[in-house]
Amino acid sequence: MLFKLPIAAVILSLFCFEIRVAEGFSLFPTKTNNNLLVVLFAGVPNNGNMNDMILAEDEPLSSRFQRAVVLQRAGDHRSALTEYQTFIKAAESCDVSPELYAEVHVNMGAIYTKLKERNKAKQNFQKALFHRQLGSAHVNLALLALADGQMSRDPRDGISALREARMHCLKALEIDDDAHSTNGATRLLKDVENMLQQAGEL
């Protein structure tokens, strides 16, 4: 028997994959027509001017990021990935700390999830967490764990997936770095703990 997710958790998955930008950058929050929270990069970090950081082809680093966000919002996932990868290479060449753009890996993980490339999605969420603890990365890892558990026919895998998802939700709540991730983790944790209680595992 396949491990089943409650409808609330499936619906929640539509809202947790966020387009985010690093702490310390000026932000313009907007909403897309499918309710995904989008944070547009304004181009100026608090600790310097991104326009001073120029790519080899004389393009500001901020422009590369903006283009990636626009492509991601438009659903051009492969092109957005290319732009994010170029952004990361350029940021590395400008000696920008990966901690400042850890959210880019969350964005890339969200794209890989949409492309059904779960291993790459998981790697990017984990890479984001390596650079900085982000609630959005933990919520996305919780959702991936639940999706993996749902695909297994072994009930033990389902219980293991619930435990992993619970751990990620608790970490997201502990981090409490943005309201969207915190609210998502709270709702998802309630569903996960209800299922664990029904299974006699909590």
Side-chain angles (χ1 to χ4, degrees):
M1 173 182 260
L2 289 175
F3 170 66
K4 297 294 180 188
L5 288 178
I7 294 299
V10 175
I11 292 170
L12 178 63
S13 69
L14 300 175
F15 297 97
C16 285
F17 296 126
E18 303 180 17
I19 300 174
R20 303 281 304 172
V21 70
E23 214 174 273
F25 290 93
S26 300
L27 305 176
F28 294 123
T30 63
K31 290 274 188 179
T32 62
N33 57 8
N34 61 357
N35 292 324
L36 284 178
L37 175 65
V38 176
V39 183
L40 295 178
F41 180 67
V44 184
N46 290 340
N47 60 351
N49 187 340
M50 281 297 272
N51 292 324
D52 292 339
M53 297 178 190
I54 304 296
L55 301 179
E57 61 271 19
D58 296 329
E59 180 181 30
L61 190 55
S62 59
S63 296
R64 183 69 69 172
F65 182 85
Q66 283 182 322
R67 188 161 44 254
V69 170
V70 168
L71 289 166
Q72 185 173 0
R73 289 181 68 193
D76 189 350
H77 302 308
R78 293 290 179 193
S79 296
L81 281 174
T82 299
E83 294 295 335
Y84 282 131
Q85 288 160 350
T86 303
F87 173 89
I88 289 170
K89 286 178 186 172
E92 289 170 349
S93 72
C94 293
D95 293 323
V96 177
S97 170
E99 183 180 357
L100 294 177
Y101 56 87
E103 287 88 349
V104 170
H105 291 291
V106 176
N107 291 1
M108 291 174 68
I111 292 172
Y112 281 122
T113 301
K114 285 185 176 288
L115 295 174
K116 301 188 187 320
E117 296 182 42
R118 288 187 185 170
N119 287 337
K120 288 182 179 179
K122 188 173 184 178
Q123 288 168 5
N124 274 276
F125 296 137
Q126 290 170 336
K127 191 175 283 191
L129 292 174
F130 177 78
H131 295 307
R132 193 168 86 250
Q133 290 296 302
L134 296 167
S136 57
H138 280 294
V139 173
N140 280 298
L141 284 169
L143 289 165
L144 283 179
L146 290 172
D148 288 344
Q150 187 177 19
M151 290 191 308
S152 175
R153 296 193 177 275
D154 187 341
R156 291 171 296 185
D157 292 338
I159 296 299
S160 177
L162 286 168
R163 288 181 181 146
E164 183 180 347
R166 181 175 186 267
M167 180 265 301
H168 282 297
C169 288
L170 290 171
K171 285 186 178 179
L173 292 173
E174 182 182 325
I175 294 165
D176 192 20
D177 58 345
D178 73 88
H180 187 68
S181 297
T182 300
N183 291 339
T186 300
R187 292 191 305 256
L188 187 56
L189 181 62
K190 183 178 177 183
D191 286 339
V192 166
E193 289 187 338
N194 283 340
M195 286 186 284
L196 283 169
Q197 284 174 345
Q198 289 172 12
E201 296 289 332
L202 189 65

